[in-house]
């Protein structure tokens, strides 16, 4: 028969609780584990950008740039496409947690339950960085020859991390306001389109006039121009400020939105 | 005052136009099992969510182990909730679920592992401990869910429909577990749709209907309101004509049937059964309506 460890019950009885650092570590560990146990999604998130890059380099590349140098142009775009795609699964992970009852368990524990979202965000960052490294590795194999110094590499990495965090938090917020994992999944699609309407694959100047306005004013273009400039030495001008500004602004909105949505959502059921 | 584990006064909650709770009072003594009985939509889950800090009441006072809800972190240290949907991580194993909960409750890694081991053994989950919870049966999930709630001892345990959807064996196992908790001094507050469950487990039963507690008492007190048996009268096609309460004695049944004989058709069929939850509700809500209209 079952016996539970003896304890004194009474109003003075209180349990210990985990520190914020431990809570975050536990939720990050959980999310990383969830990622590893969904190998199909993980492989898709890594394989898709690599396939896209190979396709753009070998299939379209010849038509876009007959000199065979297209791989130098397209790598930054592929990295961002990959980050946008990879972070969209955060919306699904978050919605799943918010709809299956486990959030109630976390919310009745004496911990900061919003850390469950932080866990998903950090896991997304880890997944996306892994995919980014693989993309860069494959790019080097197929002839990408960056000119960046160590500092430029680090700066590019910083911009990529900021971009991944921005989009992951945005998807976390989307996950918090959508009702079902399936619905959350479909939002990823919309944001997947943004890189195509930027300077990711072709220079903005080759687009029709009205589209140039859209493409040069949307947040992805400065991020791509910054990364491209850092890695391959093309002129950056003020694009770096625009890139950081856009990301910081969207990140701030996503954070506030997530926080409000978490509080509202969690208390509703 | 100090021996009440849960105390609630005039708790009200409204969602949009829907008055879910219309002034609920509760007093649950420490170390007892308290069953909140009610049909779907009566407000049971809302009430348990309010008591366990998930939902804020619009009005009213709640005290858990002497702490008001405003002191949420103190309340959370005193309670554990096992929700209606087994709140377990399906992708993780039982051992990982338990260890994670232990870490979140402030145990060290080693303590959390040891505690998980202990609970796996006591809840008969050892053989499946390293399988993903997704592969578990309903009964195993509930046992794991309850085990997670007990990772660190809490004086008050909330169980929202702990046995809904379980087979008889799993239900009985869970009942045994709940009883053993009570023996260790844990206060258990559970909701259920099953009269039998409340009957088997609870020291006190409260019937929640239409956002109000319409009756409180022990199982036997509630049942005597209905009589010991129910007579069911059905016509030739099997549709219910009416039900009557009886003490089950030949004398009472004969007398009631004699009075009826003239008013029902001769091919009426009669069945005798124990009062069901439906009967309790029909009777209690009828009384409640009468009380309100008078």
């Amino acid at each position: 028969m079952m016996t539970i460890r003896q304890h004194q019950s009474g109003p003075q009885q209180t349990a210990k609780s985990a520190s914020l650092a431990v809570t975050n570590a536990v939720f990050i560990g959980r999310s990383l584990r969830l990622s590893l146990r969904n190998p199909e999604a993980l492989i898709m998130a890594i394989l898709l950008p690599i396939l896209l890059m190979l396709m753009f380099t070998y299939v379209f590349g010849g038509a876009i740039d007959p000199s065979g140098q297209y791989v130098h142009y397209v790598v930054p775009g592929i990295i961002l496409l990959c980050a946008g795609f990879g972070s969209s699964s955060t919306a699904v992970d978050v919605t799943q947690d918010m709809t299956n009852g486990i959030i109630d368990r976390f919310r009745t524990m004496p911990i900061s339950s919003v850390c469950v979202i932080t866990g998903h965000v950090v896991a997304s960052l880890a997944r996306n960085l892994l995919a980014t490294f693989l993309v860069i590795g494959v790019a080097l194999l197929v002839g990408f020859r960056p000119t960046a110094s160590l500092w430029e590499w680090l700066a590019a990495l910083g911009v990529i991390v900021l971009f991944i965090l921005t989009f992951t938090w945005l998807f976390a917020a989307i996950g918090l306001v959508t009702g079902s994992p399936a619905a959350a999944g479909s939002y990823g699609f919309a944001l997947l389109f943004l890189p195509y309407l930027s300077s990711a694959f072709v220079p903005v100047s080759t687009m029709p006039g009205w589209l140039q306005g859209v493409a040069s004013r949307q947040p992805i273009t400065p991020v791509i121009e910054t990364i491209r400039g850092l890695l391959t030495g093309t002129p950056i001008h003020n694009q770096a400020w625009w890139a950081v500004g856009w990301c910081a602004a969207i990140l701030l909105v996503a954070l506030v939105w997530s926080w409000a949505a978490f509080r509202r959502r969690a208390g509703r059921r | 005052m100090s021996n009440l584990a849960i105390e609630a006064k005039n708790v009200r909650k409204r969602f949009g136009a829907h008055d879910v709770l219309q002034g609920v009072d509760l007093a649950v003594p420490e170390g007892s099992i308290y069953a909140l009985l009610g049909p779907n939509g009566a407000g049971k889950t809302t009430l348990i969510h309010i008591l366990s800090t998930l939902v804020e009441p619009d009005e009213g006072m709640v005290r858990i182990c002497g702490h008001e809800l405003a002191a949420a972190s103190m309340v959370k240290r005193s309670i554990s909730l096992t929700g209606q949907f087994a709140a377990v991580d399906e992708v993780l194993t039982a051992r990982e679920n338990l260890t994670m909960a232990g870490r979140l409750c402030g145990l060290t890694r080693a303590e959390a592992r040891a505690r998980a081991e202990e609970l796996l053994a006591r809840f008969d989950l050892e053989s499946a401990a390293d399988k993903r919870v997704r592969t578990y049966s309903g009964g195993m999930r509930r046992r794991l869910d309850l085990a997670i709630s007990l990772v660190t001892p809490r004086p008050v345990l909330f169980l929202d429909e702990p046995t809904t959807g379980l087979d008889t064996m799993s239900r009985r196992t869970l009942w045994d577990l709940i009883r053993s908790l009570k023996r260790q001094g844990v206060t258990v507050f559970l909701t259920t749709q099953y009269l039998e469950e409340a009957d088997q487990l609870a020291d006190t039963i409260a019937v929640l209907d239409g956002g109000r507690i319409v009756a409180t008492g022990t199982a036997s007190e509630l049942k005597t309101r209905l009589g010991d048996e129910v007579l069911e009268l059905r016509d030739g096609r099997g549709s219910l004509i009416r039900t009557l309460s009886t003490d089950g004695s030949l004398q009472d049944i004969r007398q009631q049937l004699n009075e009826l004989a003239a008013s029902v058709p001769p091919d009426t069929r009669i069945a005798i059964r124990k009062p069901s939850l439906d009967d309790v509700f029909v009777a209690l809500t009828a009384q409640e309506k009468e009380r309100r209209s008078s």
Side-chain angles (χ1 to χ4, degrees):
Chain A
M1 244 358 274
M2 195 202 68
T3 47
I4 304 292
R5 185 193 286 167
Q6 195 56 47
H7 66 86
Q8 284 76 45
S9 126
Q12 274 70 48
Q13 163 85 33
T14 51
K16 293 183 283 185
S17 67
S19 69
L20 196 61
V22 170
T23 307
N24 271 313
V26 169
F27 281 124
I28 290 167
R30 165 176 182 263
S31 297
L32 286 174
R33 216 170 242 159
L34 299 187
S35 300
L36 288 175
R37 296 213 178 146
N38 191 353
E40 296 87 351
L42 195 59
I43 289 170
M44 262 310 270
I46 290 169
L47 216 54
L48 187 79
I50 290 178
L51 288 177
L52 272 173
M53 185 173 65
L54 294 176
M55 190 175 76
F56 271 102
T57 308
Y58 290 118
V59 182
F60 304 137
I64 300 172
D65 180 1
S67 69
Q69 300 301 300
Y70 186 59
V71 67
H72 295 296
Y73 186 83
V74 83
V75 166
I78 297 289
I79 291 172
L80 290 205
L81 195 65
C82 156
F85 179 74
S87 51
S88 68
S89 63
T90 306
V92 180
D93 295 339
V94 167
T95 313
Q96 239 151 22
D97 275 353
M98 297 306 284
T99 49
N100 80 357
I102 201 160
I103 192 66
D104 289 349
R105 151 104 53 217
F106 296 144
R107 288 188 64 233
T108 53
M109 288 178 162
I111 53 169
S112 175
S113 49
V114 77
C115 292
V116 73
I117 311 294
T118 325
H120 286 308
V121 170
V122 174
S124 161
L125 183 63
R127 280 195 312 264
N128 283 308
L129 283 178
L130 175 67
T132 304
F133 290 136
L134 287 174
V135 164
I136 293 176
V138 174
L140 291 172
L141 285 179
V142 300
F144 179 51
R145 294 291 172 265
T147 59
S149 68
L150 178 64
W151 295 114
E152 284 169 329
W153 271 109
L154 289 177
L157 187 66
V159 175
I160 293 168
V161 167
L162 180 64
F163 181 82
I164 294 172
L165 280 178
T166 300
F167 275 78
T168 301
W169 271 110
L170 191 59
F171 279 112
I174 289 171
L176 283 164
V177 295
T178 37
S180 74
S186 61
Y187 282 95
F189 182 75
L191 278 164
L192 260 183
F193 254 104
L194 274 183
Y196 292 98
L197 301 178
S198 76
S199 64
F201 300 105
V202 293
V204 172
S205 59
T206 61
M207 297 178 187
W210 58 272
L211 198 55
Q212 284 188 20
V214 177
S216 59
R217 282 181 185 81
Q218 65 124 319
I220 304 253
T221 297
V223 177
I224 284 184
E225 289 305 320
T226 305
I227 295 174
R228 183 175 287 140
L230 287 168
L231 295 187
T232 64
T234 54
I236 298 180
H237 306 301
N238 59 359
Q239 293 293 308
W241 297 114
W242 278 105
V244 174
W246 264 115
C247 285
I250 298 174
L251 183 59
L252 189 69
V253 169
L255 281 170
V256 172
W257 188 17
S258 293
W259 174 247
F262 183 82
R263 298 212 56 180
R264 195 175 59 237
R265 175 71 172 267
R268 202 158 55 193
R269 281 163 313 116
Chain B
M1 283 309 260
S2 67
N3 59 354
L4 287 182
I6 306 170
E7 202 186 349
K9 287 215 169 76
N10 191 33
V11 170
R12 289 170 185 275
K13 184 72 191 175
R14 164 185 280 272
F15 288 117
H18 188 42
D19 255 332
V20 182
L21 297 176
Q22 306 177 20
V24 170
D25 296 328
L26 288 173
V28 181
E30 237 171 52
S32 66
I33 301 183
Y34 194 95
L36 187 67
L37 199 61
N40 285 332
K44 301 193 295 293
T45 297
T46 304
L47 183 54
I48 218 166
H49 280 179
I50 288 175
L51 298 179
S52 60
T53 73
L54 288 177
V55 171
E56 270 179 42
D58 295 337
E59 239 182 86
M61 187 283 297
V62 174
R63 219 177 267 150
I64 309 286
C65 293
H67 306 295
E68 302 220 1
L69 286 183
S73 79
M74 291 310 288
V75 171
K76 286 177 184 181
R77 279 161 213 255
S78 314
I79 63 166
S80 201
L81 166 73
T82 299
Q84 201 166 346
F85 308 101
V88 292
D89 207 320
E90 292 199 324
V91 185
L92 301 183
T93 66
R95 195 189 304 276
E96 289 167 341
N97 265 292
L98 287 165
T99 315
M100 176 173 77
R103 296 280 286 143
L104 291 176
C105 290
L107 301 184
T108 64
R109 215 177 283 265
E111 284 169 345
R113 277 203 204 112
R115 184 65 179 150
E117 213 57 52
E118 227 174 302
L119 288 164
L120 286 168
R122 285 167 188 169
F123 282 77
D124 196 19
L125 289 165
E126 273 172 318
S127 58
D130 296 310
K131 288 194 184 123
R132 292 190 197 177
V133 173
R134 185 175 286 159
T135 63
Y136 283 24
S137 70
M140 290 163 76
R141 264 165 204 255
R142 296 294 179 127
R143 288 210 302 278
L144 174 60
D145 204 2
L146 192 55
I148 296 174
S149 293
L150 302 173
V151 159
T152 49
R154 302 288 163 99
V156 177
L157 184 60
F158 291 104
L159 305 172
D160 195 4
E161 303 202 3
T163 67
T164 298
L166 292 191
D167 61 45
T168 314
M169 275 303 293
S170 309
R171 176 167 298 160
R172 286 183 190 276
T173 311
L174 224 66
W175 287 352
D176 285 340
L177 291 171
I178 293 168
R179 285 192 198 101
S180 75
L181 290 174
K182 181 198 155 160
R183 282 196 296 275
Q184 288 151 45
V186 176
T187 308
V188 180
F189 183 99
L190 61 92
T191 69
T192 181
Q193 306 181 40
Y194 307 118
L195 181 63
E196 194 201 355
E197 183 157 290
D199 199 355
Q200 285 280 331
L201 289 175
D203 301 304
T204 312
I205 299 174
V207 179
L208 185 70
D209 187 41
R212 270 174 227 278
I213 304 261
V214 294
T216 314
T218 63
S220 56
E221 282 166 5
L222 288 183
K223 274 193 241 166
T224 50
R225 295 189 178 200
L226 287 172
D228 296 328
E229 309 277 342
V230 173
L231 285 180
E232 223 174 54
L233 278 63
R234 293 179 181 276
D235 66 17
R237 286 177 320 233
S239 22
L240 192 64
I241 304 174
R242 62 191 297 183
T243 53
L244 302 166
S245 294
T246 167
D247 61 11
S249 68
L250 179 64
Q251 187 192 0
D252 182 57
I253 294 173
R254 182 191 285 145
Q255 190 188 335
Q256 294 214 38
L257 291 181
N258 283 342
E259 284 168 19
L260 268 176
S263 63
V264 295
D267 65 346
T268 298
R269 328 266 322 160
I270 293 167
I272 300 182
R273 57 171 177 78
K274 291 277 176 201
S276 69
L277 179 56
D278 284 350
D279 303 322
V280 176
F281 279 117
V282 171
L284 287 172
T285 49
Q287 285 170 9
E288 174 71 9
K289 266 184 202 146
E290 254 171 54
R291 193 188 58 79
R292 263 183 259 171
S293 57
S294 65

